[in-house]
Amino acid sequence: QVQLVESGGGLVQAGGSLRLSCVASGIIFSLNTMGWYRQAPGKQRELVAVISSSGTTNYAVAVKGRFTISRDNAKNTVYLQMNSLKREDTADYFCNAHRYLGGFQYDYWGQGTQVTVSS
């Protein structure tokens, strides 16, 4: 059974920092592209950052230079360090594990962790 469990969300003032963690089980973590997505109230889920199995990273324009995604394969964990937070970063943040294998795409999601940035 695949499980992705996020933690680290909370309430923070604008300009502050948070670090999100996502622990994965039931997958070969090192072979998956891991990502963080977010969904604000009334909006569609959007990509925040991804990190490939080889460590290549990609960021949404809105968070580039402020957020850093990293992974620890030994701990089956992906992190999202969020600095200089803005009110518009307020959203539920979801961890994603993605793998393309044998012609099939596999996507798994965590339950989400809430981030609220106050002014």
Side-chain angles (χ1 to χ4, degrees), residues 7-12 18 20 82 85 90-91 113-118:
S7 61
L11 174 64
V12 64
L18 282 175
L20 306 183
M82 305 186 294
L85 282 160
T90 294
T113 186
Q114 190 172 56
V115 172
T116 303
V117 183
S118 65

Side-chain angles (χ1 to χ4, degrees), residues 16 21 24 26-27 30 33 37 39-41 44 46 50 57 63 66 70 74 80 86 89 94-95 101 104 113 116 118:
S21 300
I27 59 172
S30 62
T33 291
Y37 291 72
Q39 187 167 17
Q44 287 190 328
E46 62 178 6
V50 291
T57 58
V63 307
R66 300 188 296 122
S70 61
L80 184 68
K86 303 176 181 180
D89 295 318
F94 298 88
C95 177
L101 178 67
F104 294 93
T113 186
T116 303
S118 65

Side-chain angles (χ1 to χ4, degrees), residues 16-106:
S17 298
L18 282 175
R19 188 173 85 151
L20 306 183
S21 300
C22 170
V23 180
S25 59
I27 59 172
I28 304 175
F29 182 81
S30 62
L31 298 182
N32 278 261
T33 291
M34 300 301 298
W36 286 98
Y37 291 72
R38 67 187 182 187
Q39 187 167 17
K43 294 189 176 181
Q44 287 190 328
R45 191 173 296 190
E46 62 178 6
L47 171 71
V48 176
V50 291
I51 182 166
S52 72
S53 57
S54 62
T56 301
T57 58
N58 202 5
Y59 297 91
V61 171
V63 307
K64 209 166 189 178
R66 300 188 296 122
F67 291 10
T68 302
I69 189 170
S70 61
R71 64 191 296 161
D72 185 337
N73 289 340
K75 295 182 178 180
N76 283 8
T77 302
V78 61
Y79 304 97
L80 184 68
Q81 178 67 43
M82 305 186 294
N83 298 329
S84 303
L85 282 160
K86 303 176 181 180
R87 285 194 65 185
E88 51 263 43
D89 295 318
T90 294
D92 291 325
Y93 283 71
F94 298 88
C95 177
N96 169 264
H98 174 82
R99 188 177 176 191
Y100 186 77
L101 178 67
F104 294 93
Q105 279 196 138
Y106 297 87

